[in-house]
Amino acid sequence: MVPRAPVGAANARWARSVATAELAAVWQVPRLALASPRLLARRRATGPVVVLPGRGVGDASTSALRAYLTALGYRCRGWGLGLNDGEVARLARAVVPLLEREAERAGAPVGLVGQSMGGTVAREVARARPELVSRIITLGSPLLGSRSSRPLTRPVTAIYSEVDRIVPPSWAVRSHPLVEHVEVTSTHFGMGIDPDVWRIVADRLATPVGVPPVP
């Protein structure tokens, strides 16, 4: 979900400011390289994890994060549904058969990690089929009105950034007893390759549900 652009002459300025801010994501690459030894030393665990991509992109956009989680011992995979077209309700239904297979194979519920609109889809899946989901971690994900009659019953870690020009904090943060909000300094697109985000994702996935995370 992208904020409505201003009309008139301000539109070009708005587009340039967004592009400039989000191009800063390229600086995450050297940071990630420098942080690799520490990231690989994070707590290791096992279990199924599915990573859902943001709007307009597919599994290739989450390949680096998935490779990292696989290196930590998780059975991690993409969603295999092609590009995220933003149809949240339809995509949530389409993810369910994958989670059923992964949960049955592992004998355990699945951790969901969703970037941007992928996190919105993850929350809807957890509302519809909470027994298939262990926890949800969202990266710069917009809060959209849910069409599900079920309340959210699985823990959520919502990662957001004050410098996100695509999904600002006001779109990503909402008080809820099961939602933990964690602020980072990444741009929107940079969250998928930000070492701070990777550390948070790894730590939360390794923390048993019901146990407070270590700061």
Side-chain angles (χ1 to χ4, degrees):
M1 184 173 183
V2 179
R4 185 182 298 276
V7 296
N11 186 41
R13 293 195 298 272
W14 178 86
R16 285 196 299 271
S17 68
V18 169
T20 299
E22 292 304 328
L23 279 174
V26 300
W27 293 106
Q28 302 295 9
V29 176
R31 288 188 65 227
L32 196 58
L34 290 171
S36 291
R38 289 184 290 108
L39 287 169
L40 291 172
R42 306 307 297 184
R43 287 181 295 170
R44 294 173 178 264
T46 59
V49 177
V50 173
V51 183
L52 286 63
R55 186 170 186 173
V57 293
D59 285 333
S61 68
T62 66
S63 59
L65 176 57
R66 287 187 285 114
Y68 169 58
L69 295 177
T70 298
L72 291 184
Y74 295 98
R75 179 186 175 88
C76 186
R77 60 159 298 164
W79 71 350
L81 295 175
L83 301 183
N84 183 334
D85 62 6
E87 294 290 334
V88 174
R90 181 186 62 79
L91 291 171
R93 291 192 298 270
V95 169
V96 168
L98 167 61
L99 298 191
E100 290 175 333
R101 293 193 298 271
E102 293 297 309
E104 181 177 7
R105 183 176 294 129
V110 181
L112 293 181
V113 180
Q115 184 161 10
S116 191
M117 190 69 80
T120 307
V121 175
R123 287 195 298 263
E124 289 306 293
V125 174
R127 285 188 173 97
R129 296 293 301 275
E131 76 281 5
L132 297 176
V133 179
S134 58
R135 67 165 65 245
I136 307 145
I137 303 172
T138 64
L139 317 182
S141 298
L143 294 164
L144 302 178
S146 172
R147 296 182 181 180
S148 172
S149 60
R150 293 193 184 193
L152 188 64
T153 61
R154 309 311 296 154
V156 178
T157 296
I159 300 173
Y160 72 97
S161 173
E162 289 285 350
V163 300
D164 189 332
R165 297 295 186 268
I166 306 299
V167 180
S170 61
W171 293 21
V173 173
R174 181 181 300 160
S175 179
H176 188 285
L178 289 176
V179 179
E180 169 203 20
H181 297 99
V182 183
E183 183 178 357
V184 296
T185 58
S186 173
T187 64
H188 184 76
F189 297 117
M191 286 190 191
I193 53 172
D194 186 311
D196 296 328
V197 172
W198 283 21
R199 175 186 58 79
I200 296 164
V201 171
D203 286 351
R204 296 314 187 264
L205 287 174
T207 301
V209 173
V211 177
V214 178

